[in-house]
Amino acid sequence: MLGKVLVVSITAASIVVGTGYLLSEDNGFDFSWNTTTVENESQYTSGQQSFPPERPQAAASFQKKPPSNNPIGFMLTKVADQYAQSARYPPWSVPLTQAQAEGYHGNRYEPVALPLENGGQFTVTLDKFRFTRGEDILVVAALQGPQVMGSSLQATLERTESRDSIGSTTLEQDNQTGYYQGTLTTDEEPGEYRLIVEATVDGKPVRHASSLTIEPYLGDFEGLEDTYLSNNNLVIPVSFSPQESGFYALSAQLYNGQQPVAQLQAERRLDRTSDTLSLKAHGTVLANKSFNGTFQLRNLQIRQLPARPGDHTHYAFGPDDGYDFEPPNLDDLDDTPAANPESEQRAALLKQLANKF
């Protein structure tokens, strides 16, 4: 009886997964770097980042069959094939397409346009979503409409929960561009904050609200050490001098010129005597491919992981231009899939379910 319940539960879950796949806009295999939007935040959580599992023989052992006439079987087969393909890569080194790279930005603020009457718009823009404590916040606003009144706007930073104001500034209009701009300071405790920009339109006050976060100072990126090959990986040591000891997670994108290559991540404990995190690009994303010139490490994001349950995850970001480096000879790398028995078993189970229909 228990076995029947288990089979029914797995089948129902598989139907949901398969249906979601068919309804998706693009159901081809694709690694998706997690991007979470929180009131204007676009980021990898990576924290929060999750990579598909790995592996080899599971994919190799699946024999191609004609599509099933049963739609459930067809959907399960597609899901199983996708899982087997993604299982080739280790979770810390997965391939990156151009579309995925364009969709991921570690610290980008997404402007929100507030619609006004008579076709007007009220838009506020920041240069990023997460600010390190002590940085200035440059606020730029655009206000369009037939009944806009005044050559300045008022911007206020307030605590999200209490709505207490902790600072304000006047945004003055630039006569050449027509934009309003001004700066606020971030000398406040780390946390989430609301930015309120007020204007007068048609004689009435209009408020534009958006979110940002203030992060503590975590430390400094100090560049790359010499790269090398080890165990079918291109190892890229990244130096980071932490403000305090703890566990840190680093993520970055590997590029060759304008070509995105891989999404990489590493995690380890850092202290003042150990300040290097080694990103590794596996042979499955580098072998048998044509690369020219230098490589680049871009969109570096480091997270200080919570020391205890309930603590917040804190973020810091590498230089905007990233780092360039000359890789060693990559000819010794091969396209051997990474081993992950658990992922192989999952892929095999999905295939067995598909064969039942």
Side-chain angles (χ1 to χ4, degrees):
M1 182 65 181
L2 181 59
K4 291 182 179 180
V5 172
L6 179 60
V7 170
V8 170
S9 300
I10 294 176
T11 302
S14 302
I15 291 173
V16 173
V17 172
T19 303
Y21 166 78
L22 283 187
L23 293 176
S24 64
E25 185 174 333
D26 181 4
N27 56 10
F29 165 71
D30 228 12
F31 167 75
S32 177
W33 181 253
N34 187 28
T35 302
T36 304
T37 302
V38 182
E39 289 188 52
N40 301 330
E41 173 183 9
S42 195
Q43 63 167 334
Y44 62 139
T45 49
S46 88
Q48 316 148 329
Q49 298 116 332
S50 173
F51 293 76
E54 334 166 343
R55 186 46 190 187
Q57 297 173 351
S61 62
F62 294 158
Q63 297 179 356
K64 297 294 183 180
K65 292 184 179 181
S68 171
N69 291 328
N70 188 300
I72 297 178
F74 174 77
M75 289 185 291
L76 287 174
T77 298
K78 297 292 290 185
V79 172
D81 289 344
Q82 287 185 352
Y83 195 92
Q85 174 66 15
S86 66
R88 299 183 68 252
Y89 308 102
W92 33 263
S93 172
V94 295
L96 186 67
T97 67
Q98 187 68 49
Q100 292 162 353
E102 291 175 355
Y104 168 75
H105 293 275
N107 190 19
R108 185 174 68 179
Y109 178 92
E110 294 289 351
V112 174
L114 179 67
L116 303 175
E117 294 182 1
N118 301 315
Q121 280 190 336
F122 187 8
T123 306
V124 174
T125 302
L126 305 177
D127 60 342
K128 52 190 171 183
F129 175 78
R130 298 184 183 277
F131 293 84
T132 300
R133 187 176 185 179
E135 286 184 315
D136 286 338
I137 303 173
L138 174 62
V139 184
V140 178
L143 189 58
Q144 300 174 334
Q147 301 296 328
V148 176
M149 300 176 64
S151 59
S152 64
L153 309 178
Q154 191 70 21
T156 303
L157 193 64
E158 62 180 31
R159 293 186 173 88
T160 300
E161 296 181 358
S162 65
R163 303 294 174 87
D164 293 336
S165 173
I166 59 172
S168 63
T169 189
T170 299
L171 308 184
E172 300 289 350
Q173 187 175 29
D174 186 298
N175 293 329
Q176 294 183 342
T177 65
Y179 293 122
Y180 301 81
Q181 64 180 46
T183 59
L184 289 162
T185 62
T186 58
D187 295 326
E188 302 296 331
E189 288 298 319
E192 297 182 359
Y193 291 85
R194 279 164 48 95
L195 175 67
I196 307 297
V197 181
E198 297 178 280
T200 301
V201 179
D202 196 17
K204 300 177 182 177
V206 178
R207 289 163 53 91
H208 186 294
S210 53
S211 298
L212 59 89
T213 66
I214 297 176
E215 301 289 343
Y217 169 72
L218 298 186
D220 295 314
F221 283 91
E222 297 181 343
L224 305 183
E225 298 179 6
D226 292 339
T227 59
Y228 59 93
L229 300 185
S230 176
N231 297 324
N232 201 32
N233 295 294
L234 168 62
V235 183
I236 310 168
V238 180
S239 295
F240 180 78
S241 179
Q243 177 72 3
E244 59 183 46
S245 299
F247 283 94
Y248 292 82
L250 173 68
S251 64
Q253 294 179 333
L254 181 64
Y255 272 75
N256 180 235
Q258 297 303 312
Q259 175 188 358
V261 178
Q263 185 79 44
L264 310 177
Q265 72 169 8
E267 180 180 323
R268 66 165 298 182
R269 179 176 175 82
L270 297 179
D271 55 42
R272 294 190 180 279
T273 61
S274 177
D275 59 0
T276 301
L277 295 99
S278 292
L279 297 172
K280 295 184 291 185
H282 192 258
T284 48
V285 299
L286 292 175
N288 305 322
K289 295 180 175 64
S290 177
F291 297 114
N292 298 311
T294 62
F295 277 74
Q296 299 83 37
L297 208 57
R298 303 178 185 173
N299 298 319
L300 288 89
Q301 173 185 272
I302 194 164
R303 295 175 291 122
Q304 183 184 34
L305 303 179
R308 59 187 64 85
D311 287 355
H312 291 289
T313 298
H314 297 302
Y315 297 79
F317 299 87
D320 293 339
D321 295 335
Y323 297 112
D324 293 352
F325 66 94
E326 291 284 349
N329 191 328
L330 304 179
D331 291 344
D332 290 337
L333 297 177
D334 60 70
D335 193 20
T336 301
N340 187 327
E342 183 177 349
S343 291
E344 294 175 29
Q345 293 172 2
R346 291 174 180 173
L349 176 60
L350 285 172
K351 194 65 175 179
Q352 290 173 4
L353 285 172
N355 291 336
K356 297 295 184 181
F357 293 90

